Amino acid sequence: MSNVLIVGELKNGELKKISKEITSAGRKIADALGGKVTALLIGSGVEKFAGDLGAVGADSIVTVNAGDFNAETWANLVAGVIQDKKPSVVLVPHTSQGKDYSPRVAVKVGAGIVADAVGLSVDGGKVVAKKPIYSGKAYGNFKITSDIAIFTVRPNSQEVVQKAGAGAAEAASPSAGDAKVKIVSSDLSGGNKVQLAEASIIVSGGRGIKGPENWPILQGLADVLGAALGASRAAVDAGWIAHSHQVGQTGKTVSPNCYIACGISGAIQHLAGMGSSKYIVAINKDGDAPIFKVATYGVVGDLFEVVPALTDEFKKVLG
Ligand SMILES: Cc1cc2nc3c(=O)[nH]c(=O)nc-3n(C[C@H](O)[C@H](O)[C@H](O)COP(=O)(O)OP(=O)(O)OC[C@H]3O[C@@H](n4cnc5c(N)ncnc54)[C@H](O)[C@@H]3O)c2cc1C
């Protein structure tokens, strides 16, 4: 029997979708290994999300009362719950928070860790994680041999499946320890716009948009689709948009249902950040651009004609 612990995540007091995705993934693993799924939520007032995670397969929800995120504190709290619940498998969101505390947890509990899993299956009583390697040029399958296996899981890579677990909530108070780093303030950019890493649709622009004055053309399409705005490094380096929008090896890794690349050539470093998108739509006036090799749908044309035409059509269809 192998029990699974998933560590949920919140943003602005709301449960992030990745929390449900990894709960569903955990349910599948626990069903295959004959174990239980415990979901851990850290924060204040998190008990109210117990039902949400119970509905997608959590047998129990452990809630830990804590203030703002701090990787050191989170690592101590998660390690404390692992020591108490003794799971064999731990799933963590592959987000900036998850990436920050999960390696610390692995050291504290003596676990092996695989980061950025986009596929999870079970073989021979062990979880097999599929993850991109060589900047997304290939996938590797990894098994962890230690008693506790931690996997960080890429947002949007796992399906949310409604499958009721008992969802019983219990409060826990593991030691938070003494954090050496104190967060004195946070500067969150992006306002109310859709966040890149969690977006299910991304409209992204590259050097082909010619200048920052043309972002409204892409933002128009993004607004109609409820999409986030992404960018290539060329657009970011030119100072046309903030680095927080950059997709790729030195930017964000995204895995949306649909990635619309406008005026982006498809350099390997860009593909490293978006190659696992479910559908890739490329709009580029050069029919030989490498982006077309990975595109599900491609339009060889001028983005200044194609994007407004698409926006108008989507407006008609979506209202
Ligand atoms: C170590 C390292 C890390 C890097 N990390 C990243 C990263 O994280 N993310 C990233 O994106 N890049 C990264 N790069 C840079 C990468 O190699 C490319 O230089 C970059 O992705 C190119 O951006 P681009 O596609 O916008 O520009 P270009 O390669 O210049 O492509 C512009 C495209 O726009 C098309 N176009 C022009 N006008 C139009 C029009 N009117 N309509 C339609 N299409 C048009 C052109 O045909 C062309 O294909 C990295 C490079 C290195 C060395």
Side-chain angles (χ1 to χ4, degrees):
M1 193 174 93
S2 293
N3 292 327
V4 179
L5 177 76
I6 75 99
V7 189
E9 192 170 313
L10 291 100
K11 178 148 201 179
N12 300 331
E14 293 301 320
L15 192 65
K16 282 172 115 178
K17 184 167 159 265
I18 178 68
S19 310
K20 291 187 183 179
E21 292 168 5
I22 55 175
T23 306
S24 285
R27 179 75 266 159
K28 259 200 263 172
I29 293 169
D31 286 348
L33 296 174
K36 299 256 184 226
V37 180
T38 301
L40 166 61
L41 288 174
I42 304 172
S44 94
V46 291
E47 324 58 64
K48 64 178 179 228
F49 299 114
D52 292 312
L53 297 183
V56 291
D59 294 302
S60 59
I61 289 100
V62 174
T63 61
V64 174
N65 192 27
D68 289 343
F69 176 77
N70 178 313
E72 281 182 89
T73 310
W74 252 237
N76 287 331
L77 297 174
V78 174
V81 173
I82 291 175
Q83 273 143 7
D84 182 35
K85 298 291 172 189
K86 307 203 175 355
S88 314
V89 178
V90 182
L91 304 183
V92 175
H94 190 72
T95 53
S96 30
Q97 286 191 7
K99 285 187 268 183
D100 203 347
Y101 68 78
S102 56
R104 302 166 195 253
V105 175
V107 172
K108 284 176 194 293
V109 300
I113 182 166
V114 169
D116 199 17
V118 296
L120 294 163
S121 56
V122 172
D123 177 53
K126 288 275 183 194
V127 172
V128 181
K130 176 182 163 189
K131 64 163 276 171
I133 53 174
Y134 305 122
S135 294
K137 270 191 178 162
Y139 288 100
N141 291 315
F142 295 81
K143 267 186 196 175
I144 294 176
T145 51
S146 53
D147 291 345
I148 306 171
I150 300 179
F151 301 93
T152 70
V153 182
R154 189 181 286 194
N156 284 330
S157 68
Q158 308 297 309
E159 214 184 323
V160 176
V161 181
Q162 299 296 321
K163 185 169 187 193
E170 76 177 88
S173 42
S175 165
D178 282 330
K180 293 183 195 74
V181 173
K182 304 262 182 262
I183 297 174
V184 286
S185 71
S186 308
D187 181 7
L188 302 175
S189 58
N192 292 327
K193 296 282 181 201
V194 185
Q195 295 296 307
L196 203 55
E198 289 102 51
S200 67
I201 307 177
I202 293 173
V203 176
S204 206
R207 207 189 316 259
I209 73 153
K210 311 277 188 249
E213 66 282 4
N214 293 320
W215 285 118
I217 298 172
L218 267 55
Q219 187 67 59
L221 178 59
D223 287 345
V224 175
L225 296 174
L229 196 61
S232 73
R233 177 162 160 178
V236 171
D237 283 355
W240 299 348
I241 194 163
H243 179 261
S244 57
H245 291 266
Q246 184 179 317
V247 172
Q249 191 177 315
T250 44
K252 293 210 166 66
T253 303
V254 296
S255 199
N257 278 328
C258 182
Y259 187 89
I260 306 176
C262 310
I264 293 177
S265 60
I268 185 67
Q269 296 90 351
H270 190 78
L271 302 184
M274 43 63 77
S276 65
S277 307
K278 196 162 175 195
Y279 297 101
I280 296 171
V281 179
I283 303 165
N284 196 304
K285 65 180 187 186
D286 174 7
D288 291 326
I291 190 79
F292 288 117
K293 291 205 180 101
V294 296
T296 327
Y297 301 101
V299 182
V300 179
D302 187 335
L303 73 91
F304 296 103
E305 291 165 17
V306 177
V307 174
L310 268 179
T311 307
D312 287 346
E313 284 305 310
F314 277 123
K315 265 188 199 155
K316 279 186 216 156
V317 176
L318 301 171

